[in-house]
Each structure stands twice: as C-alpha cells, then as structure tokens.
Amino acid sequence: MQGGFTPVETIKKVLIVLNGFIHDFATGYWLSALIAIYLLHGYRIQAKAGAGFLADIERFFFWNAVGAAVCIFATGGMRSFTYVNNFYGPEAEATRRKMLIAKHVILFVVVGGGTWWGYCTAFR
C-alpha cells in the first residue's frame, strides 16, 4: 500500500484526477474551437478564393466542439459522483450545492448557445 491506499483506491483516485483533467481540457478545447470558427469565418468573408476550404475547416472545428461538449457533459456527470459530502460542513455544503446548480444551469445555456452559434456560423 503506497501512501496508505490500497491499489484499488489508488487507481480510483488516479481515474478521478484524470476525469477532472479531461473535463477541464475539453472545456478549454470547446472554447478554442469556437474562437477558431470565429476567426476562420472572418477570413472566409475576406478571402473569396479560399472560402470553400475555410468553410470546411470551420465545420471541422464545429464538429470538434460538439465532441468536446459531449465529453464535457460525460465527464461532468462522472465528476458529480466524486465530490466529498459535507467536506465543509452541512451549512456550507448546502450553499455549495445551490451554487453548483446555478453555475451548471448558466454553463449549460452558455455551452448550448455557443454551440448553436458555432453551427449557425460554420454552416452559413
């Protein structure tokens, strides 16, 4: 046992950290893909000769953004099972849960709206 953990506990902790890393990475990638769509769209409007090629790249980034959003939701769902209950005490935990719900409602709207914007931009 390394660090007082059994091998199974160690693997579980590694998977929890890896899940969090993938969640955060996918979130950054999603935002980066939308920025790429925005920039490419501007170039596509200016460069008529390469517009078809740039539109293909925009669509590539759109589908990558969709994949990242799926990954965000999947790893976020798994992440919800790894939080320690009452770590900060019952009163703080109740407030933390309310704030997490509000944050996720806002972020669901942001990711949904951003992905819709990416679709409208990449496919027009």
Side-chain angles (χ1 to χ4, degrees), residues 24-58:
D24 294 343
F25 183 83
T27 302
Y29 188 87
W30 174 83
L31 182 59
S32 297
L34 291 185
I35 291 169
I37 291 168
Y38 172 78
L39 293 172
L40 287 165
H41 193 71
Y43 298 143
R44 180 166 54 124
I45 291 170
Q46 293 173 0
K48 301 293 183 195
F53 178 68
L54 291 172
D56 290 343
I57 298 172
E58 278 185 70

Side-chain angles (χ1 to χ4, degrees), residues 7-36:
V8 171
E9 290 172 325
T10 301
I11 291 170
K12 183 178 177 183
K13 289 184 182 298
V14 167
L15 291 175
I16 289 170
V17 171
L18 183 62
N19 182 72
F21 172 80
I22 292 169
H23 181 77
D24 294 343
F25 183 83
T27 302
Y29 188 87
W30 174 83
L31 182 59
S32 297
L34 291 185
I35 291 169

Side-chain angles (χ1 to χ4, degrees), residues 19 22 31-32 38 61 64-65 67 69 73 75 87 90 96 107 122:
N19 182 72
I22 292 169
L31 182 59
S32 297
Y38 172 78
F61 278 110
N64 275 262
F73 290 123
T75 55
F87 182 77
R96 184 183 73 82
L107 289 177

Side-chain angles (χ1 to χ4, degrees), residues 102-113:
K103 177 187 90 166
H104 284 92
V105 167
I106 291 166
L107 289 177
F108 187 78
V109 170
V110 168
V111 171

Side-chain angles (χ1 to χ4, degrees), residues 78-92:
M78 288 186 278
R79 205 178 210 191
S80 67
F81 295 108
T82 62
Y83 283 117
V84 178
N85 288 331
N86 294 319
F87 182 77
Y88 299 106
E91 190 174 304

